[in-house]
Amino acid sequence: MADNLIDYQGKTVLITGAATGIGKATALAFARQGANIVIGDVDDRAKDTAADIKQLGAESLFVKTDVSDASAVENLVSEAVARFGKLDAAFNNAGLLPPTAPLAEQSAEDFDRIISVDLKGVFNCMKYEIQAMLNTGGGAIVNTASVAGVVADPGMAPYVAAKHGVVGLSRAAALDYATQGIRVNALAPGLVESNMTRRWLDDPEFVDQLMANSPVGRAAKPEEMAGMVLFLCSDAASFATGQVYLNDGGQTAH
Ligand SMILES: NC(=O)c1ccc[n+]([C@@H]2O[C@H](COP(=O)([O-])OP(=O)(O)OC[C@H]3O[C@@H](n4cnc5c(N)ncnc54)[C@H](O)[C@@H]3O)[C@@H](O)[C@H]2O)c1
């Protein structure tokens, strides 16, 4: 085992959804540990993330990618391997939140959109990342699920279904590749301050409701998700696979 268990010098990490929020904070955390970062995102603000990575002295590549498009994801992974030679880790984190409404008021279009980005996007990413990792000696994958992948929240049926699916996909892939040097885990964040949750956190009544269920009484900063991802992708987590890691300020403890 390596002396330094969380060492990303010379390692390449692919991150989706790193234009903003949890993905951006995690990309910068990996970059601070010396990793090369490949970003797949639909949002051009990923260029700002790439510039911040450069400031930190690390290398990055941004490939504009819609994770729901399998051929775009195939291209993302092949560009990553062409530029850096291999893929050591991947953080499949891109996601969307549907409008809040009870199930019968959710549209079929929103359901399809959420499933195609939040669930099929993770399938697309793992499919091509795993092929690349098998060719280059293995790797580690973390998929962003949610507390909503473990328990249900009201008004979010398509998201809850997609995130439960991410947990299932992560477990299934972990079993398929357990003996081939590829570990797969899911991260389940609780409430995190980001563009996604801005519409809730800007509404004082909604915040009161959310905080009633929060033992720590606050939302997390995106940076507070990064450490668990760095751990799970590292040699320090060499026996950890097929699991869901809750990082939720105690939300699901009661
Ligand atoms: N914020 C929370 O409270 C919270 C809680 C649990 C889980 N999550 C999950 O964390 C992940 C990151 O969310 P965040 O809170 O940082 O929000 P965010 O909106 O800041 O980040 C989402 C990222 O995904 C990208 N993205 C969206 N659709 C995409 C697509 N089709 N292809 C490629 N990229 C796409 C966005 O451009 C953005 O960079 C999501 O999967 C989300 O479901 C968030």
Side-chain angles (χ1 to χ4, degrees):
M1 195 167 262
D3 290 343
N4 184 356
L5 288 176
I6 302 186
D7 179 9
Y8 288 102
Q9 291 294 335
K11 300 270 172 78
T12 300
V13 183
L14 186 156
I15 305 183
T16 67
T20 58
I22 296 168
K24 177 172 185 170
T26 306
L28 298 181
F30 272 115
R32 281 187 197 97
Q33 303 306 317
N36 308 314
I37 311 295
V38 179
I39 303 171
D41 204 301
V42 280
D43 186 334
D44 280 327
R45 281 178 292 179
K47 288 179 186 164
D48 299 337
T49 308
D52 291 349
I53 290 169
K54 198 170 176 199
Q55 286 281 323
L56 292 167
E59 301 255 338
S60 72
L61 171 70
F62 166 44
V63 183
K64 194 158 181 167
T65 309
D66 180 342
V67 294
S68 67
D69 176 348
S71 62
V73 173
E74 183 177 18
N75 175 60
L76 167 69
V77 173
S78 76
E79 292 223 22
V81 174
R83 167 78 181 269
F84 293 114
K86 64 182 174 28
L87 203 55
D88 297 288
F91 180 38
N92 299 317
N93 164 76
L96 293 174
L97 197 61
T100 308
L103 189 146
E105 291 163 35
Q106 294 277 354
S107 73
E109 291 74 22
D110 280 337
F111 184 84
D112 285 347
R113 199 167 56 96
I114 297 304
I115 295 295
S116 70
V117 174
D118 291 15
L119 180 56
K120 195 171 173 208
V122 172
F123 170 79
N124 288 338
C125 288
M126 283 208 287
K127 181 175 164 71
Y128 294 106
E129 290 157 0
I130 287 169
Q131 289 173 12
M133 287 172 176
L134 288 173
N135 289 335
T136 55
I141 296 174
V142 174
N143 298 317
T144 305
S146 168
V147 159
V150 180
V151 294
D153 281 319
M156 292 169 61
Y159 187 79
V160 169
K163 294 299 189 179
H164 274 66
V166 170
V167 169
L169 273 184
S170 305
R171 289 183 174 137
L175 296 186
D176 285 346
Y177 297 99
T179 59
Q180 292 172 77
I182 296 177
R183 296 183 297 101
V184 184
N185 290 291
L187 171 74
L191 182 66
V192 181
E193 286 175 22
S194 71
N195 290 342
M196 183 175 279
T197 50
R198 183 64 42 221
R199 68 182 195 238
W200 297 340
L201 295 170
D202 284 348
D203 175 349
E205 251 178 60
F206 212 84
V207 168
D208 286 348
Q209 224 175 297
L210 290 169
M211 289 314 139
N213 283 325
S214 167
V216 297
R218 67 176 179 89
K221 302 276 183 208
E223 293 74 18
E224 293 181 273
M225 297 298 122
M228 203 174 268
V229 184
L230 265 66
F231 163 70
L232 286 171
C233 289
S234 76
D235 288 347
S238 57
F239 203 60
T241 197
Q243 297 304 322
V244 187
Y245 289 83
L246 284 147
N247 191 358
D248 69 351
Q251 188 185 329
T252 51
H254 51 75

